[in-house]
Amino acid sequence: MARNLTRDMTNGSPTKLILKFSVPMLIGNIFQQLYNMVDSIVVGKFVGSDALAAVGSTMSILFLIFGLTFGLSAGISIVISQYFGAKDYENVKKSFATATYIVIGASAIMGVTGFLLTRTFLELLNTPDTIINESEIYMKIAFAGILGIACYNGMAAVLRALGDSITPLVFLIIASILNVLLDLLFVVVFGMGVAGVAIATIIAQMVSAAGCTIYALLRVKLLRMPLREFKPDPLIFRKCIRLGLPVALQNSFVSVSLMALQSVINSFHAVVIAATTVVNRIEQLVLQPSMSLGAATASFTGQNIGAGQIDRVKQGYRSSSLIIIIFSLIMLPIMFFGGEAIMKIFTKQEDMEVVRYGVEGIRITSFFYFFVGMIFITRNFLSGTGDIHIPMIMGITEVICRVLFARLMAANASIGFRGIFWATAFTWLVTGFLGIWRVATGKWKGKSVVKNSV
C-alpha cells in the first residue's frame, strides 16, 4: 500500500516529530491569516477606518458559523488519526468517505443560516449605523463562499491526521498569493471596497479547496476508493459526530464570547472598533505558532493513543508545553516594544488615534501569551485522546469569563476601552489553567475511540 504523503508518528523523537509536523502548518496558518490581514490592510489603507471597522465587526459572527464546521472537521481528524495509528486502514477509508458527507452537509446548513440571519446578528451586536451596511455586505459574501472554506479545512484535517502537513501548506500559499492580487484588483483598480475583499477571499479559498482535494486524491492511494463504496458508514458517522460536536460547540461557545465582547467593543466609537480589529489581526498572527503546535499535538496524540503508547503521548505534551514557554518569552518584548510599528502597517498616517489605542491593548495581552498557548496545547491534546468533554467545558469557561470580565471592566470609567483587552487576558489565564489541570489529572487515559465502541 502506497502512503506517499502520510507520516507515522508512533515512532521517533516526539519533539522532532511535532516540530517537523508543526512548521509547515505554521507557515500555512500564517498564509491563511493573510486572507484576513490583507483584507484589513487593503481596506484600512485604501478605503478608510470605517471600512476597517466594518470588516472587523463581522469576525466574531463569522467565527461562530465557521467554527461549527471546523469543529466537525476536528472530530473527523481525531477518528482518522486514531485509526491510522492503529493501522486500521479500511476504517481510515470509511472515515474519509463519511467525512465528505459531513463537511458538505454542515457547510450548506451553516452557510444558508448565516446568510439569512446576517442583519439580525449585526443588530444584536449593536453594530453602529455608520458601518452596519458594509458589514452586512461583507458577511453575506463570506457566507455564500463557506463551502470553499469548509472543504479546504476538512481536507486539510484529513491529511494532517495522516501526518501530512505539506499538501495543505502548498495550496494555502497559492491561494494567499491569489487573494492578495485579487484584493488589489477589486479594491484599488475596480473600487469595490468591502465587497471586493470579500469576493477575493472566497475565490482564493475555493481555489485552495479544489487544488488540495484533487492533488491529495491523486497522490494518496489510501483516500481513493470505488464510487460505489464512497458512502457514509453509520458507526463512524456517530463517532465523528460524537467527537466533532463537542469541539463544534466549544468553538461556538468561544464565538459567543467573542460576539459578547464585540457588543461591548461596538459600544465605543469607530476608532476603538478599528483599533481592536487591528489588534485582533496582529494577535491572530502571533498566535499561529501556538495553534500550529496544538494541531501537531492533536495528530501526534491521536496516532499514539490509537497505538496504545501512553508514555509517548505524555512526552509529546511535555515537549509542546516547553516550546510554548520559550515562544511566549520571545514574543513578550517584541510585541510590548514593537506594537506601534506593527499597528502602523494597518493604518493611514492620519489614523494615529487608532494606533495609540491598539498599542495600549497589545501591551496588556502580550503578558498572557503563555496561557493562550496552553489553551491550544491542552485543548488539542485532550481532543486527540478522545477526551472531548473538557475542551467543550473550556469553551463554556471562555464564554463566562469573557462576558463577565468585559462587562465589568469596560463599564468602569477608570479602565474604559482597556477593559476589552484585560477581559481577553484574564479569559486566557483562567481557561489555560483549566486545560493544564485536566491534563495533570490523567483522566484522559483510556478515551481512545478505536478501543471504545459508540
Side-chain angles (χ1 to χ4, degrees):
M1 181 190 64
R3 291 158 56 193
N4 309 49
L5 302 178
T6 60
R7 178 183 297 145
D8 187 344
M9 302 177 78
T10 60
N11 295 288
S13 166
T15 302
K16 290 181 180 179
L17 283 168
I18 290 172
L19 284 175
K20 190 174 181 179
F21 186 85
S22 62
V23 168
M25 280 195 64
L26 170 59
I27 298 171
N29 285 344
I30 289 173
F31 273 95
Q32 191 167 38
Q33 285 305 308
L34 286 177
Y35 284 127
N36 292 331
M37 291 187 69
V38 169
D39 287 353
S40 297
I41 291 172
V42 169
V43 296
K45 289 285 189 182
F46 297 103
V47 185
S49 60
D50 279 353
L52 179 60
V55 172
S57 67
T58 67
M59 290 300 103
S60 60
I61 306 172
L62 292 174
F63 187 73
L64 171 63
I65 303 298
F66 294 168
L68 294 172
T69 59
F70 297 162
L72 293 175
S73 296
I76 291 161
S77 178
I78 295 167
V79 173
I80 292 178
S81 67
Q82 291 194 11
Y83 278 129
F84 186 69
K87 309 296 189 291
D88 186 349
Y89 302 123
E90 186 61 31
N91 273 323
V92 169
K93 291 184 177 182
K94 291 180 180 179
S95 299
F96 173 62
T98 303
T100 302
Y101 288 92
I102 293 174
V103 168
I104 293 176
S107 62
I109 294 170
M110 298 304 168
V112 172
T113 301
F115 188 89
L116 295 177
L117 297 179
T118 290
R119 190 77 179 196
T120 302
F121 284 142
L122 291 169
E123 290 172 350
L124 287 174
L125 292 183
N126 300 317
T127 306
D129 292 339
T130 54
I131 64 173
I132 192 170
N133 289 332
E134 287 191 308
S135 297
E136 182 178 13
I137 292 170
Y138 186 88
M139 281 185 61
K140 282 186 176 295
I141 295 172
F143 282 128
I146 191 175
L147 183 61
I149 301 170
C151 287
Y152 170 78
N153 281 282
M155 194 68 226
V158 170
L159 290 173
R160 288 164 185 160
L162 300 177
D164 174 23
S165 57
I166 300 295
T167 302
L169 165 64
V170 171
F171 287 98
L172 260 185
I173 292 175
I174 293 171
S176 297
I177 294 172
L178 178 61
N179 185 57
V180 172
L181 296 176
L182 291 177
D183 267 347
L184 294 173
L185 176 66
F186 293 157
V187 177
V188 179
V189 178
F190 295 156
M192 296 173 64
V194 168
V197 295
I199 294 171
T201 297
I202 65 169
I203 290 174
Q205 288 165 337
M206 288 178 179
V207 168
S208 66
C212 187
T213 301
I214 293 169
Y215 184 80
L217 290 176
L218 290 174
R219 291 292 306 277
V220 185
K221 290 185 178 180
L222 186 58
L223 300 181
R224 297 203 298 266
M225 65 193 78
L227 187 60
R228 66 180 180 276
E229 297 178 11
F230 201 84
K231 55 187 177 181
D233 180 275
L235 179 61
I236 292 176
F237 180 86
R238 291 196 296 271
K239 285 185 177 183
C240 290
I241 296 300
R242 182 170 68 82
L243 292 172
L245 191 57
V247 181
L249 290 174
Q250 164 223 304
N251 285 344
S252 68
F253 291 143
V254 173
S255 302
V256 169
S257 72
L258 292 174
M259 289 173 69
L261 182 61
Q262 188 66 51
S263 179
V264 174
I265 293 170
N266 289 346
S267 67
F268 291 91
H269 47 79
V271 172
V272 172
I273 299 174
T276 55
T277 297
V278 175
V279 173
N280 288 338
R281 293 286 190 265
I282 293 170
E283 291 191 334
Q284 279 297 307
L285 188 59
V286 171
L287 296 179
Q288 290 312 304
S290 299
M291 296 173 70
S292 303
L293 196 61
T297 301
S299 295
F300 178 89
T301 302
Q303 287 195 23
N304 283 281
I305 203 80
Q309 301 192 49
I310 299 296
D311 286 341
R312 280 182 61 80
V313 172
K314 293 179 180 178
Q315 291 171 15
Y317 173 72
R318 287 194 293 267
S319 296
S320 297
S321 301
L322 179 60
I323 295 169
I324 286 296
I325 292 172
I326 295 171
F327 173 74
S328 302
L329 291 175
I330 292 173
M331 291 308 302
L332 174 58
I334 292 175
M335 298 305 296
F336 190 89
F337 296 108
E340 181 175 350
I342 299 172
M343 285 289 300
K344 288 180 179 178
I345 297 174
F346 292 80
T347 55
K348 292 183 177 180
Q349 189 172 0
E350 60 266 26
D351 289 333
M352 287 307 298
E353 194 175 8
V354 174
V355 174
R356 181 174 63 83
Y357 284 131
V359 169
E360 289 195 52
I362 289 173
R363 288 182 173 175
I364 292 170
T365 57
S366 59
F367 282 93
F368 295 82
Y369 287 161
F370 166 73
F371 298 102
V372 69
M374 289 309 295
I375 292 175
F376 291 117
I377 295 300
T378 57
R379 180 181 289 162
N380 282 279
F381 174 86
L382 294 169
S383 295
T385 65
D387 186 13
I388 38 75
H389 296 297
I390 297 302
M392 184 172 65
I393 293 173
M394 291 171 70
I396 296 172
T397 301
E398 286 199 47
V399 175
I400 296 172
C401 290
R402 195 169 265 125
V403 172
L404 181 63
F405 292 143
R407 296 292 180 185
L408 290 177
M409 293 182 177
N412 189 313
S414 62
I415 300 177
F417 78 94
R418 298 173 190 84
I420 297 167
F421 301 103
W422 280 113
T424 295
F426 288 147
T427 299
W428 290 348
L429 175 68
V430 174
T431 309
F433 266 124
L434 176 59
I436 293 169
W437 166 80
R438 177 63 177 188
V439 174
T441 65
K443 293 181 179 180
W444 45 268
K445 299 175 184 177
K447 298 287 186 177
S448 173
V449 297
V450 171
K451 298 177 181 179
N452 298 325
S453 59
V454 175

